[in-house]
Structure formats: C-alpha cells, structure tokens
Amino acid sequence: RKEVEQDPGPFNVPEGATVAFNCTYSNSASQSFFWYRQDCRKEPKLLMSVYSSGNEDGRFTAQLNRASQYISLLIRDSKLSDSATYLCVVNDGNTGKLIFGQGTTLQVKP
Amino acid sequence: DAGVIQSPRHEVTEMGQEVTLRCKPISGHNSLFWYRQTMMRGLELLIYFNNNVPIDDSGMPEDRFSAKMPNASFSTLKIQPSEPRDSAVYFCASSFHDTETQYFGPGTRLLVL
C-alpha cells in the first residue's frame, strides 16, 4: 500500500463547479498535512496546510479525519486558473520527512 | 526575496556522461531536499540534509547518485555515469525545519540520450 494515495483523475469540471479531492495516508503517527499545487511544467507550491479542526482559505477548504486517515480539499466556484495538479502531502510520523502523493489533476473548462 | 535557485534549468547529455545539478536554498533555511519527478513514479525524495548533514539518503537510487552540501548556501546532486532512465525533472527544496513547509526551486529538466 502506498504511504499517500490519491485518485489521479483527471477531474474535468465546468467553471463555477464545486469539486472535492480526497487523499488517504497509511501512517497513523503522521502529524503534519499539506496540499500543494503544481502547474504544468512548474514546481510544486504550497496551497495550504491542513489543521485538525479544518481550515478555509477563500474558495478552498481543507479537512482532516485522523480516525479514517484521510484528508480532503474542497474547491468552490472553480476558476479556469484552478486547473493544475493537487498534491496531498503527509509527514512521515517516524522521521518527519514529507511524503508526496501522486497528485490529482483538475481541468476546469469554460 | 530570492527563492530556491537551481541550475542548470535544462540539461541534455549522453549516456555515460557526468551530470552535476546545483541548488542554492533560501537563506536561513536549515533543511534541503532533493527530489526526482517522473510521470511513472511521481515525486520521489532522493536525499535530504539538516544543517548541511545528510539525514536520509534511502531514496538515492544507486551508487551512481551522490549529493553534497559543503555549506548552508549550496548543494550539488551528481550522477556519474548517467543513464537514459535518469531522465526526469530534479527539484531542490528547502525549509526552516524538515517537518515544515518546503519551498521548491524551478527544477532541472534532465534528458539523457
């Protein structure tokens, strides 16, 4: 089983739609969680950290479910510019290093 | 503020040649990471350093790969000899601490013919 698993997609949605991505992780000792965004032929960039209580940043909402070991990202009112690959990132609870998922690709269509 | 700087941005070489990738982390960051990204395997951690000391090199594919960090502002990843299967994008990232947010450089696109 992969340490961090994501549905690769692609998710094709129209502008204005709400889309949600899920990610599962295997190490129950993991303490830090992030969503990164990677545009085509660019480097990954931090989108948002994920806190236990859930957190929101504009149109983006991240949630963590420790019991089920999954993380979610919700994007409301999607824009064309949201088209990218979204990487779920979890720290290795034993070593602290970050483990990246394979990413979920989102395509927002006009 | 300057982000993570990598050079070269693109490298095309022939099988058997030595390749050296360079990275300058963000000033003040204590951790530096080297990743490799391919379509098939995604983003893989090769090695990381804390305070210039290699902490985990379990991701380095084989002895052909080596990495150094002689000081806090410079690191190299060397492949010798290179092989076509080494073709990938190599990213360097840095952070204040190894469990915190990592900031990535623009990457080096390596093609080994």
Side-chain angles (χ1 to χ4, degrees):
Chain A
R1 183 185 170 188
K2 289 182 182 176
E3 293 175 272
V4 179
E5 293 204 60
Q6 296 181 250
D7 179 346
F11 285 61
N12 295 302
V13 303
E15 269 187 293
T18 295
V19 61
F21 308 137
N22 289 329
C23 161
T24 58
Y25 60 95
S26 60
N27 190 337
S28 60
S30 296
Q31 295 295 324
S32 302
F33 309 90
F34 309 89
W35 283 101
Y36 274 69
R37 170 191 169 129
Q38 185 172 23
D39 292 293
C40 187
R41 301 182 71 81
K42 298 286 190 179
E43 72 272 22
K45 292 184 179 179
L46 178 69
L47 178 66
M48 58 196 304
S49 301
V50 185
Y51 303 118
S52 296
S53 55
N55 48 300
E56 189 174 305
D57 182 2
R59 298 180 293 108
F60 298 83
T61 301
Q63 293 201 313
L64 168 65
N65 184 319
R66 285 188 186 273
S68 301
Q69 293 180 206
Y70 82 77
I71 307 151
S72 64
L73 177 68
L74 182 78
I75 305 175
R76 291 181 299 279
D77 188 23
S78 31
K79 312 289 185 192
L80 296 176
S81 57
D82 294 335
S83 298
T85 296
Y86 291 83
L87 302 165
C88 174
V89 185
V90 176
N91 86 316
D92 180 317
N94 300 316
T95 66
K97 68 184 182 185
L98 299 184
I99 310 296
F100 285 75
Q102 291 275 75
T104 298
T105 299
L106 172 67
Q107 274 288 342
V108 181
K109 308 284 189 183
Chain B
D1 288 342
V4 176
I5 299 172
Q6 289 187 248
S7 65
R9 294 291 304 276
H10 301 271
E11 177 83 25
V12 181
T13 191
E14 291 187 343
M15 183 173 64
Q17 296 298 306
E18 177 179 295
V19 175
T20 299
L21 311 181
R22 297 173 178 79
C23 175
K24 177 179 168 54
I26 293 172
S27 177
H29 281 189
N30 299 310
S31 299
L32 182 141
F33 308 80
W34 282 102
Y35 291 89
R36 177 172 68 177
Q37 188 173 40
T38 61
M39 288 293 292
M40 290 296 295
R41 300 172 69 90
L43 198 61
E44 301 174 280
L45 177 66
L46 300 176
I47 184 171
Y48 81 94
F49 297 82
N50 277 348
N51 298 313
N52 313 339
V53 176
I55 301 300
D56 184 347
D57 65 354
S58 59
M60 295 286 261
E62 48 198 274
D63 291 346
R64 297 184 297 106
F65 286 69
S66 62
K68 293 182 180 179
M69 191 164 185
N71 57 62
S73 59
F74 183 66
S75 177
T76 59
L77 177 68
K78 188 175 293 188
I79 308 172
Q80 167 63 18
S82 57
E83 296 182 4
R85 60 193 168 119
D86 301 331
S87 298
V89 181
Y90 291 82
F91 288 106
C92 176
S94 70
S95 64
F96 282 111
H97 185 273
D98 60 6
T99 60
E100 297 183 8
T101 303
Q102 294 180 20
Y103 297 85
F104 283 74
T108 295
R109 295 185 177 278
L110 174 65
L111 177 61
V112 183
L113 302 174

